[in-house]
Amino acid sequence: MTEKIIPLADLRYLNKIPVIPARLEAPTGLLADTRARPLHDLRISITDRCNFRCVYCMPKEVFDKDYAFLPQSSLLSFEEITRITSLFVAHGVEKIRLTGGEPLLRKNVEKLIAMLSALRTPDGRELDLTLTTNGSLLARKAQALKDAGLKRVTVSLDALDDKVFKQMNDVDFAVSDVLEGIEAAHRVGLGPIKINMVVKGGMNDQEIVPMARHFKGSPYILRFIEYMDVGASNGWKMDEVIPSSEVIRRINAEMPLEAIAPNYVSETAGRWRYVDGGGEIGAISSVTQAFCSDCSRARLSTEGKLYTCLFATGGHDLRALMRGGNTDEEISTAIAHIWRARTDRYSELRTANTDGLQSERKVEMSYIGG
Ligand code: SAM
Ligand code: SF4
Ligand code: SF4
């Protein structure tokens, strides 16, 4: 029998209600934290639920039928999400990614997308509005998502071999259904589509080269992600991490690659292209090569807490401010103060201590959003 890990305290309820500074300020779009990092991206988890039980994210032993997912009343409403997002946009955020849990499980997600896609940057531009999904509901929803104003999707797919994929998602979901979702998204114009593969050593690393072969020459950009020590339930061990350098070495041995320059400063993926013109792949070295120095991402949890790092142990409760009747100006000033005080650099510290800083208590990826 697998031993069940019971958290000592539920980190989701660790609350910091932001202090509203006495002097209110108008957003300038030029916020910078203690390490001069701007605020450019916002990831929003719109549900903590998922129809998969990926072993590295929501292991069945923890996320079982007794697991206390958030009640509906705790979730931010679409109006609350849109209001908070507009404040972040005024502070300089241009890129919004909806995530989860599985974001397509949130009822009427198209409605939220339509509300968010109506927002504009202070100089009148559209936002880069994207979504990360496991692809299970994509074939059904792609057209409605596109019609609502979604620009692109990123789809997670960890193997091409059904047996391996089912071991990873742990709910018997077939590869062909995800591939169908990817094609549907491509057909309706939700591209360029990125495909994310989390590589867990000893589980799906034999799929690295077949995945590369399959997507070479396709319209899709395959990205390999190092298995991370996120959350407190996946039993992460450093020796299950396959470094990106090894992923590239294995692909390069069969299909020669050359490195290409990043698209922008805070891009997390190292970019490579096939020498024969077969397209591009990415490698996200979240464990072996920390990219904290350029990290411009904020995260909003399902119940409206602001996290300034994926590995933070506590969030700032913006929902409490909204539901407590604070004005936009007050909340916006509070956000500015939180970002200016930001010091996070977990991955850099982990690089110096490859045990994954296990003593730290961290929130789950499904709650905070990947
Ligand atoms: N359910 C959606 C999905 O799987 O695409 C969106 C949420 S999921 C938390 C976002 C991304 O985080 C996915 O690409 C997933 O593979 C990745 N992820 C989850 N746990 C991870 C871990 N321990 N290490 C690396 N990536 C992880
Ligand atoms: Fe669900 Fe995505 Fe986590 Fe897999 S990675 S369990 S699909 S939230
Ligand atoms: Fe950003 Fe935190 Fe990840 Fe570093 S560890 S890149 S600060 S989210």
Side-chain angles (χ1 to χ4, degrees):
M1 204 183 98
T2 332
E3 201 179 315
K4 184 169 172 180
I5 304 157
I6 301 167
L8 292 172
D10 196 329
L11 289 170
R12 293 172 300 179
Y13 303 114
L14 258 187
N15 242 352
K16 268 185 265 178
I17 306 215
V19 176
I20 309 284
R23 205 169 60 82
L24 300 182
E25 51 179 301
T28 58
L30 297 169
L31 271 184
D33 71 6
T34 58
R35 308 178 78 212
R37 297 171 294 189
L39 171 56
H40 274 160
D41 304 39
L42 179 65
R43 296 196 178 180
I44 308 173
S45 173
I46 58 172
T47 175
D48 60 341
R49 290 162 200 259
C50 189
N51 51 348
F52 283 17
R53 286 293 176 271
C54 301
V55 291
Y56 50 77
C57 178
M58 295 179 80
K60 253 185 185 161
E61 308 80 59
V62 177
F63 295 86
D64 59 10
K65 63 176 184 5
D66 298 325
Y67 185 81
F69 288 102
L70 296 170
Q72 185 69 26
S73 59
S74 289
L75 270 51
L76 290 189
S77 67
F78 290 171
E79 288 71 23
E80 287 171 329
I81 294 174
T82 308
R83 179 178 174 203
I84 279 290
T85 305
S86 72
L87 301 182
F88 275 93
V89 168
H91 275 308
V93 163
E94 299 190 349
K95 191 169 166 187
I96 308 285
R97 178 174 297 280
L98 299 183
T99 175
E102 173 46 44
L104 298 187
L105 287 181
R106 179 85 187 245
K107 214 167 147 217
N108 298 325
V109 60
E110 309 79 347
K111 208 173 137 205
L112 172 65
I113 289 169
M115 289 163 78
L116 293 174
S117 73
L119 298 176
R120 294 288 176 271
T121 63
D123 58 357
R125 281 171 299 122
E126 288 187 3
L127 299 176
D128 185 12
L129 184 56
T130 66
L131 176 146
T132 303
T133 173
N134 62 23
S136 58
L137 300 170
L138 199 50
R140 232 176 297 160
K141 294 204 173 224
Q143 188 66 57
L145 297 172
K146 176 71 184 174
D147 294 346
L150 190 69
K151 299 259 188 277
R152 293 177 288 117
V153 287
T154 296
V155 184
S156 304
L157 178 63
D158 295 329
L160 276 179
D161 180 276
D162 245 348
K163 199 162 153 254
V164 179
F165 185 53
K166 287 177 177 177
Q167 266 165 13
M168 295 292 275
N169 66 52
D170 221 4
V171 293
D172 221 28
F173 202 85
V175 172
S176 55
D177 292 342
V178 179
L179 292 177
E180 218 177 278
I182 294 170
E183 278 155 28
H186 178 63
R187 264 198 311 276
V188 303
L190 285 171
I193 297 173
K194 291 176 187 150
I195 316 276
N196 278 356
M197 170 179 175
V198 174
V199 182
K200 186 170 178 203
M203 236 182 141
N204 68 336
D205 62 302
Q206 71 283 19
E207 289 287 293
I208 294 171
V209 175
M211 283 280 284
R213 231 183 259 135
H214 181 84
F215 288 107
K216 181 167 182 267
S218 78
Y220 314 123
I221 302 170
L222 177 61
R223 306 189 313 166
F224 299 89
I225 304 180
E226 288 177 351
Y227 170 41
M228 284 188 284
D229 51 330
V230 70
S233 60
N234 63 8
W236 184 89
K237 290 197 230 54
M238 184 64 194
D239 58 13
E240 290 167 340
V241 177
I242 306 283
S244 292
S245 53
E246 171 61 14
V247 169
I248 297 301
R249 193 195 61 76
R250 289 193 202 176
I251 299 169
N252 184 56
E254 180 180 315
M255 297 164 277
L257 289 163
E258 60 192 4
I260 41 181
N263 283 318
Y264 48 92
V265 178
S266 62
E267 187 166 54
T268 50
R271 299 172 67 207
W272 301 81
R273 75 174 152 232
Y274 294 106
V275 173
D276 68 3
E280 177 181 337
I281 61 167
I284 305 183
S285 315
S286 11
V287 176
T288 60
Q289 267 182 300
F291 36 77
C292 300
S293 59
D294 296 320
C295 179
S296 56
R297 280 179 301 283
R299 291 178 160 86
L300 190 63
S301 78
T302 318
E303 54 179 345
K305 293 200 189 119
L306 167 62
Y307 286 83
T308 55
C309 176
L310 182 53
F311 298 92
T313 49
H316 306 267
D317 193 350
L318 299 183
R319 190 191 64 184
L321 300 186
M322 283 192 285
R323 295 193 183 170
N326 288 100
T327 63
D328 281 358
E329 205 184 5
E330 287 168 340
I331 302 174
S332 171
T333 306
I335 293 171
H337 276 244
I338 293 166
W339 192 263
R340 280 202 203 99
R342 177 181 188 244
T343 56
D344 305 281
R345 55 186 198 103
Y346 176 89
S347 287
E348 283 181 3
L349 300 174
R350 183 221 296 107
T351 304
N353 173 359
T354 48
D355 290 340
L357 301 180
Q358 291 295 351
S359 59
E360 297 268 357
R361 313 265 338 279
K362 296 165 287 189
V363 285
E364 298 298 331
M365 186 91 142
S366 46
Y367 164 73
I368 193 179

